[in-house]
Amino acid sequence: MRNVVILAGGSGTRLWPMSRDDRPKQVLPLAAGHSLLRVAYNRLRGLVEPENIYVCTVGAYTDVVRKELPELGEHNIIGEPARRDTANAVGLASAVVSRNDPDAVVAFVGSDHLISPEDEFRAAIEHGFEVVEARGRSLVTFGIEPTHPHTGLGYIERGAPIEGTSAYVVDRFREKPDRATAEEYLATGRFWWNSGMFVWRASTVLNVLDTLLPESAARLREVAAVWDTPEREATLAEIYPNLRKISVDYAVMEPASQGKVDADVVVVPMPVHWLDVGSWAALADTYDADPNGNRTDSVTLSCLLDSHDNIIVTDDPNHLVATVGLRSHIIVHTQDVTMVCPLSDGERVKDLVARVQSDHANYI
């Protein structure tokens, strides 16, 4: 049976101070008044049955997820007691989804992406399902055709086409490149952005984890074995926080693409406009710019004198943000925090959050 898991465990530190411990970015109204999580869920309509849609999130977020998606079944929220990166998240979800269906096919999608057109997204995921159903040992990922030499994303180098499909063998995964390397990637026409979305048979990825991450795989099977029993929470709390923290790209996709396991890695093109909303600069791409290149959301009230190429956001429609002679800065105002930084340092907001966590923890 086909299933979809929405990965919604990110902390959203680069979107601080809007994103907080008790109000993660997934549930903020960042998409035309709707939360990213709601948009991700709605995007799946017609792709699989509603009872086959799951959300994998940090245990502390289960209540806000339930509030945001009240139609989601109680057993369709998979709560991690600690963040142990995506290899463990997809391993846990694959084990849970397959406990009553050994032949389960599972797609993993993000909760922090803006994607259009949505019918092309669904068509690509549908094709991913078809590839996996025809090629049971395949691990499918999705490639986004790059529109510019992005230095903040990983890349997939595609190889030979797979007959009868629109998929390709993955030659290599490449880390986030510098500008010159990214330009070289685009010039070859062989590279796609790595979307971080996947489809596979649950049994296939669990067998791969048995080889590549054996201790974690064994312990995740222990958790799945008691998932429908009163022992679940205690077993999760004992096992999960001690698992090795590692991403699915490092733990599974890269070694599998190198022939280290009995599985192959293929990439399906996803011809969409795709935005990974992971930073203020990325989110600002969804805002209209004024004649001077300043970007604000629909709530923000601003008065900008001789100011250019700034990103200004506030959650209080009655709070005026006024600037004079400001160039290329980010200003984010909330009820209790005002954050200002050069646009060029936008990726360092997560470092600022670490400092605030140390010195002013009640503002996290």
Side-chain angles (χ1 to χ4, degrees):
M1 190 175 294
R2 295 178 177 182
N3 305 267
V4 179
V5 176
I6 302 172
L7 296 173
S11 58
T13 53
R14 289 176 296 166
L15 287 174
W16 185 83
M18 290 286 188
S19 182
R20 303 291 185 91
D21 277 351
D22 61 348
R23 192 181 57 176
K25 69 175 179 179
Q26 299 92 318
V27 299
L28 296 178
L30 299 177
H34 299 286
S35 75
L36 295 171
L37 181 58
R38 167 55 66 184
V39 169
Y41 183 88
N42 290 349
R43 206 160 41 224
L44 301 174
R45 286 177 178 163
L47 191 59
V48 298
E49 296 298 322
E51 59 266 27
N52 297 119
I53 299 175
Y54 298 79
V55 173
C56 183
T57 189
V58 177
Y61 295 167
T62 55
D63 286 343
V64 294
V65 168
R66 191 175 292 111
K67 183 178 180 180
E68 189 65 22
L69 300 177
E71 65 269 54
L72 202 67
E74 183 72 23
H75 294 289
N76 291 66
I77 300 177
I78 301 171
E80 306 169 271
R83 291 188 179 92
R84 304 311 295 163
D85 218 323
T86 51
N88 294 296
V90 303
L92 174 63
S94 296
V96 168
V97 171
S98 67
R99 69 196 187 284
N100 296 320
D101 179 11
D103 295 323
V105 178
V106 191
F108 288 86
V109 300
S111 62
D112 49 4
H113 300 158
L114 295 177
I115 298 172
S116 63
E118 292 188 352
D119 58 344
E120 293 286 359
F121 161 82
R122 286 187 286 269
I125 299 293
E126 175 82 20
H127 191 51
F129 279 135
E130 293 169 351
V131 170
V132 169
E133 288 163 353
R135 298 165 53 91
R137 56 188 293 277
S138 289
L139 306 173
V140 170
T141 188
F142 297 89
I144 311 293
E145 185 170 354
T147 57
H148 61 281
H150 204 304
T151 59
L153 296 173
Y155 286 72
I156 299 168
E157 183 177 5
R158 68 179 184 269
I162 296 174
E163 186 176 355
T165 76
S166 65
Y168 295 79
V169 173
V170 170
D171 266 1
R172 281 182 291 183
F173 289 92
R174 299 295 189 100
E175 295 303 314
K176 298 173 183 178
D178 57 28
R179 175 83 182 190
T181 304
E183 290 174 349
E184 290 175 11
Y185 289 172
L186 265 64
T188 69
R190 299 194 311 273
F191 288 85
W192 286 331
W193 288 335
N194 186 351
S195 70
M197 294 183 276
F198 313 99
V199 178
W200 48 55
R201 287 192 183 275
S203 57
T204 299
V205 79
L206 291 171
N207 289 339
V208 168
L209 287 170
D210 284 337
T211 300
L212 298 174
L213 210 60
E215 183 176 350
S216 293
R219 306 240 65 189
L220 290 171
R221 291 178 192 274
E222 289 181 45
V223 172
V226 299
W227 194 258
D228 297 315
T229 77
E231 299 174 41
R232 177 174 70 182
E233 296 304 322
T235 305
L236 258 178
E238 175 193 351
I239 289 175
Y240 203 82
N242 297 310
L243 298 178
R244 180 186 173 191
K245 190 174 185 180
I246 186 171
S247 74
V248 67
D249 285 328
Y250 282 127
V252 174
M253 303 304 283
E254 291 185 15
S257 71
Q258 296 162 5
K260 295 181 180 180
V261 291
D262 183 26
D264 58 14
V265 180
V266 303
V267 57
V268 169
M270 185 177 282
V272 297
H273 176 70
W274 173 80
L275 180 65
D276 183 359
V277 186
S279 66
W280 286 114
L283 181 61
D285 282 345
T286 68
Y287 301 157
D288 292 332
D290 71 11
N292 292 322
N294 300 298
R295 294 180 179 270
T296 63
D297 68 356
S298 59
V299 173
T300 297
L301 180 64
S302 63
C303 182
L304 311 177
L305 177 62
D306 188 27
S307 296
H308 299 262
D309 303 319
N310 300 292
I311 298 169
I312 301 174
V313 183
T314 175
D315 61 1
D316 182 354
N318 297 312
H319 182 93
L320 175 68
V321 178
T323 68
V324 179
L326 193 68
R327 299 288 192 277
S328 302
H329 272 68
I330 301 169
I331 301 176
V332 182
H333 171 83
T334 68
Q335 183 179 5
D336 58 348
V337 175
T338 300
M339 190 276 295
V340 181
C341 80
L343 186 57
S344 59
D345 285 331
E347 293 295 315
R348 296 182 62 198
V349 172
K350 61 183 178 181
D351 301 325
L352 175 61
V353 170
R355 174 67 66 86
V356 175
Q357 176 73 63
S358 173
D359 298 347
H360 307 280
N362 54 313
Y363 291 95
I364 296 300

